[in-house]
Amino acid sequence: GQQLNQSPQSMFIQEGEDVSMNCTSSSIFNTWLWYKQEPGEGPVLLIALYKAGELTSNGRLTAQFGITRKDSFLNISASIPSDVGIYFCAGQLSGGGSNYKLTFGKGTLLTVNP
Amino acid sequence: DGGITQSPKYLFRKEGQNVTLSCEQNLNHDAMYWYRQDPGQGLRLIYYSQIVNDFQKGDIAEGYSVSREKKESFPLTVTSAQKNPTAFYLCAIGRYNEQFFGPGTRLTVL
């Protein structure tokens, strides 16, 4: 199956810094989702995006649906230690029909130093 | 308490044995999914079901089987034909284009 290109693979940052990560694809998506996964747990949905150019916030998190529909970005402002985890992007391909299958990136491992 | 439950959290089996992982939901969603996660990898789709008594293969269905006899339940069997079964298994339910995950089952085959 197709994979999304998610970068960076990992990040080490200091508490208080801002973080940016992104996902890109050669195909057009009609939905972009961002998840956070903590060790040993299932991913938790953070933000869902449905329209090209859409910018959505959830607390300190902001995500955007790229205007080309082939990419998406997630920003975390003023990071705190509990932001540690793996962040995944996921998308539904345009023309994917009604099966609602998602394609996932490989994740960005975020470490925050207090 | 509403949500998605997976049991057990940890599961150990000897090589050559079949094992069934449970996934239950009380959110009344039609679509359910099974994913496999390996270290450093994204989630790979094993099987999915959009309605009772119907399911489709995902990207890595070989060595796995599922059933969907009830809307609430979508058990996954890891058969002895699966060559590398040790992994973290995640069940999800779907609502339109969004999916919500259970807590996962870590399967270790010795």
Side-chain angles (χ1 to χ4, degrees):
Chain A
Q2 181 176 21
Q3 288 247 322
L4 295 173
N5 298 313
Q6 186 171 351
S7 65
Q9 282 188 313
S10 62
M11 303 180 74
F12 284 83
I13 62 170
Q14 293 297 124
E15 183 176 359
E17 291 183 359
D18 297 343
V19 171
S20 291
M21 58 191 79
N22 69 84
C23 275
T24 61
S25 173
S26 57
S27 301
I28 291 174
F29 284 76
N30 60 22
T31 300
W32 284 97
L33 306 172
W34 285 92
Y35 291 87
K36 178 187 178 185
Q37 184 179 29
E38 298 189 8
E41 301 296 329
V44 174
L45 181 63
L46 299 172
I47 293 178
L49 303 159
Y50 291 100
K51 296 180 182 178
E54 180 180 356
L55 186 71
T56 298
S57 293
N58 178 5
R60 292 178 296 105
L61 278 62
T62 301
Q64 185 164 22
F65 194 136
I67 197 71
T68 66
R69 298 174 65 191
K70 294 182 179 181
D71 57 9
S72 180
F73 303 86
L74 176 69
N75 296 318
I76 305 173
S77 63
S79 59
I80 59 178
S82 62
D83 289 334
V84 165
I86 302 175
Y87 292 80
F88 289 100
C89 63
Q92 191 198 26
L93 285 165
S94 178
S98 62
N99 60 27
Y100 302 127
K101 288 172 61 177
L102 295 178
T103 302
F104 284 84
K106 291 190 175 182
T108 295
L109 174 61
L110 178 63
T111 303
V112 180
N113 293 321
Chain B
D1 185 25
I4 311 162
T5 58
Q6 291 186 244
S7 61
K9 183 69 174 175
Y10 300 95
L11 191 54
F12 296 87
R13 279 295 182 270
K14 292 183 179 180
E15 192 173 349
Q17 291 181 336
N18 291 354
V19 60
T20 297
L21 282 61
S22 168
C23 179
E24 304 279 333
Q25 57 111 352
N26 62 4
L27 301 171
N28 202 35
H29 287 290
D30 287 314
M32 298 186 74
Y33 305 80
W34 274 106
Y35 291 89
R36 171 183 172 134
Q37 186 177 30
D38 295 285
Q41 299 295 315
L43 279 65
R44 292 185 291 168
L45 182 64
I46 304 172
Y47 268 98
Y48 64 103
S49 168
Q50 292 180 275
I51 197 168
V52 174
N53 292 323
D54 188 45
F55 47 83
Q56 286 77 41
K57 293 182 179 180
D59 300 318
I60 56 165
E62 185 176 351
Y64 299 97
S65 66
V66 293
S67 63
R68 188 82 187 277
E69 297 177 1
K70 299 186 300 181
K71 189 175 187 178
E72 301 80 17
S73 179
F74 190 38
L76 173 73
T77 297
V78 185
T79 75
S80 57
Q82 168 53 232
K83 295 178 182 176
N84 187 18
T86 294
F88 190 48
Y89 290 89
L90 288 159
C91 176
I93 60 170
R95 183 186 69 188
Y96 303 111
N97 289 2
E98 299 175 2
Q99 291 183 18
F100 301 90
F101 289 86
T105 292
R106 184 165 299 281
L107 172 65
T108 302
V109 176
L110 306 171

